[in-house]
Amino acid sequence: MSGRVSVFSSIGHRLGASFAQAAAIAAFLVSGLAASAQTAPAFNPSRANAGTLGVISGGADGTYIRIAADLANVLDGEELRVLPMIGRGSLQNLRDIMFLRGVDIGIVQMDAREQLKAEKLQDSAVRRLRFITRLYNEEVHIIASRQITDIRQLDGQKVNIDKAGSGTNLTSRLIFEKLGIKPEVTTFDQASSYAKLKSGEIQAAVYVAGRPVRAIAEFQTDGRFHLLPIPFEGEIAESYFPARFANADYPQLVDAAKPVETLAVGSLLAVFNWPENSDRYNRVNRFVDAFFSRFDEFLQPGRHPKWKEVNLAADVPGWERVRPAQDWLDRAAVARTSSPQVQSFEFFMKNRGISVSAQEREVLFREFLAWQGDRERSLRRANRQD
């Protein structure tokens, strides 16, 4: 018995020492945490708000919200925070930028501002709205039964054109008007329209968004539906651009051997015209500097493929660029004319006799810079291996 007591006493002594050590370590950690809490900088609400901007986009299934999410993912930091918001479409986005508190920037279609005439808001829009950059083209998707092969067959048929105020709604009405087609329009939201297509309640659904649209790509057609072609003719050519869907865009809706011809409308990043040197103006200035300076990051894998269509310097007819964006582009133009990269690019273009538009030239120059960067990285890797 005395042996057991001795053993238990020894174990108890060791456990007691362990507990004492654990307690000492815990006390040290607690004191360290307390000290770090005392030395950590306190959250500064004023600083957080000074760099925050609201960006109104589109529905949860569309391209706008993914573009806004890319803006937040790339640009968010200590000095700048982008808050993407789900919007109700281009026309409503314009109203929100002009009148809704907390909305600084929005993604809208280029033809949306013209629709403010009916509300007697066009003059106000010209004063209150500016643009930061032209974005990409948005394609017109018309999902219809495979028995419908010509858009003119939609005359008198039930066709969903999205909710009132959306870009899809206004563009659909304009296109049908220009083509002389008079469908019986419905205004269900996009998610509901897919179910109503399958049930036969409607015969077609229109959606204007930058391809590929995830919801359309994931639409289970069972071989019953396809994307309907839209002719590029007459008055259509004055307002829209020709575009095309390939099987790679929508494998279930486009036949591999037969691409679908469609239309596209341009989009832009609109902004409220804040007074110079005001708090909101300075926030926009900070956003523009970060967005333009880090634009190459939007071209990396994982970002929406539509970023590759963006030309930051492209003009938008009828719109005025916001002052910080124009100033940044002017400074960049001066700096680029003397850079070795520009001189090499210009020598290459001239030597090969390549003549392209300003927009195509900008795209080629970005590709040239990307190629040059890849080449330099490959050389550095080869040198390290040697």
Side-chain angles (χ1 to χ4, degrees):
M1 177 68 74
S2 61
R4 286 183 194 171
V5 171
S6 176
V7 170
F8 289 149
S9 176
S10 175
I11 292 173
H13 179 73
R14 290 199 299 270
L15 288 173
S18 298
F19 288 143
Q21 290 175 345
I25 292 170
F28 173 77
L29 291 174
V30 169
S31 64
L33 289 172
S36 64
Q38 292 174 356
T39 57
F43 176 71
N44 188 331
S46 298
R47 183 180 178 186
N49 280 284
T52 300
L53 293 99
V55 179
I56 194 78
S57 58
D61 295 324
T63 305
Y64 282 4
I65 192 66
R66 293 184 61 193
I67 293 296
D70 281 348
L71 288 171
N73 289 332
V74 171
L75 302 181
D76 272 9
E78 292 185 5
E79 301 298 325
L80 179 65
R81 187 178 180 195
V82 176
L83 298 182
M85 304 176 186
I86 290 178
R88 297 180 182 174
S90 290
L91 193 57
Q92 184 61 49
N93 284 0
L94 288 178
R95 299 190 196 105
D96 290 344
I97 297 169
M98 288 194 288
F99 302 114
L100 197 62
R101 292 180 181 178
V103 176
D104 300 280
I105 296 170
I107 306 172
V108 301
Q109 291 173 196
M110 287 171 56
D111 60 355
R113 199 175 64 175
E114 298 301 315
Q115 304 307 307
L116 294 174
K117 289 179 181 178
E119 303 174 33
K120 299 182 179 179
L121 287 174
Q122 192 175 31
D123 290 342
S124 179
V126 171
R127 293 194 308 272
R128 291 170 177 259
L129 297 172
R130 295 291 182 269
F131 85 102
I132 293 174
T133 187
R134 190 191 189 289
L135 290 174
Y136 48 83
N137 287 339
E138 299 182 79
E139 289 78 16
V140 182
H141 303 69
I142 302 181
I143 308 175
S145 165
R146 286 191 178 270
Q147 279 69 46
I148 299 174
T149 58
D150 190 303
I151 191 173
R152 291 173 177 82
Q153 292 175 255
L154 295 179
D155 196 278
Q157 301 291 322
K158 283 189 176 181
V159 179
N160 192 67
I161 61 171
D162 205 353
K163 300 170 77 172
S166 70
T168 295
N169 188 294
L170 69 91
T171 298
S172 299
R173 293 181 186 276
L174 288 171
I175 288 174
F176 285 133
E177 180 183 341
K178 291 177 185 297
L179 292 175
I181 300 169
K182 297 180 180 179
E184 182 183 341
V185 300
T186 62
T187 56
F188 303 112
D189 62 81
Q190 289 298 328
S192 300
S193 71
Y194 303 139
K196 294 183 184 299
L197 263 176
K198 289 184 176 182
S199 69
E201 186 174 338
I202 60 175
Q203 283 68 58
V206 186
Y207 195 16
V208 181
R211 64 175 171 85
V213 178
R214 184 178 300 166
I216 296 178
E218 295 174 353
F219 178 56
Q220 299 301 313
T221 69
D222 302 321
R224 296 163 52 199
F225 302 96
H226 68 152
L227 283 167
L228 201 60
I230 309 175
F232 182 70
E233 62 184 31
E235 292 183 34
I236 289 286
E238 298 174 7
S239 305
Y240 300 98
F241 308 99
R244 174 179 290 182
F245 297 126
N247 174 257
D249 299 317
Y250 303 107
Q252 298 188 74
L253 294 165
V254 179
D255 295 336
K258 191 176 180 182
V260 175
E261 304 299 326
T262 188
L263 305 175
V265 58
S267 63
L268 55 85
L269 205 56
V271 62
F272 189 84
N273 184 29
W274 297 105
E276 288 192 28
N277 298 319
S278 65
D279 173 61
R280 307 299 289 195
Y281 178 90
N282 291 334
R283 297 186 199 195
V284 172
N285 194 358
R286 190 175 301 159
F287 170 87
V288 167
D289 186 62
F291 175 50
F292 282 18
S293 300
R294 300 174 61 182
F295 183 74
D296 284 349
E297 296 180 41
F298 291 96
L299 307 179
Q300 299 303 313
R303 305 300 170 204
H304 198 284
K306 278 291 183 179
W307 285 112
K308 295 177 181 178
E309 296 181 14
V310 176
N311 175 8
L312 295 177
D315 291 326
V316 178
W319 281 76
E320 183 179 342
R321 199 185 301 271
V322 69
R323 179 69 178 273
Q326 189 60 57
D327 288 347
W328 194 98
L329 291 171
D330 291 343
R331 292 193 301 270
V334 172
R336 281 177 55 179
T337 55
S338 58
S339 73
Q341 291 93 338
V342 171
Q343 292 176 4
S344 297
F345 176 72
E346 293 297 340
F347 176 79
F348 172 82
M349 296 288 283
K350 185 177 181 180
N351 191 48
R352 296 295 178 92
I354 300 174
S355 179
V356 294
S357 67
Q359 185 170 349
E360 292 171 327
R361 197 178 194 84
E362 182 68 24
V363 172
L364 285 173
F365 181 65
R366 286 208 303 265
E367 292 177 353
F368 171 78
L369 291 178
W371 169 82
Q372 196 172 56
D374 290 342
R375 184 168 178 271
E376 290 174 356
R377 284 189 290 272
S378 298
L379 289 173
R380 285 197 295 270
R381 283 196 297 269
N383 290 335
R384 283 197 297 269
Q385 291 173 357
D386 292 343

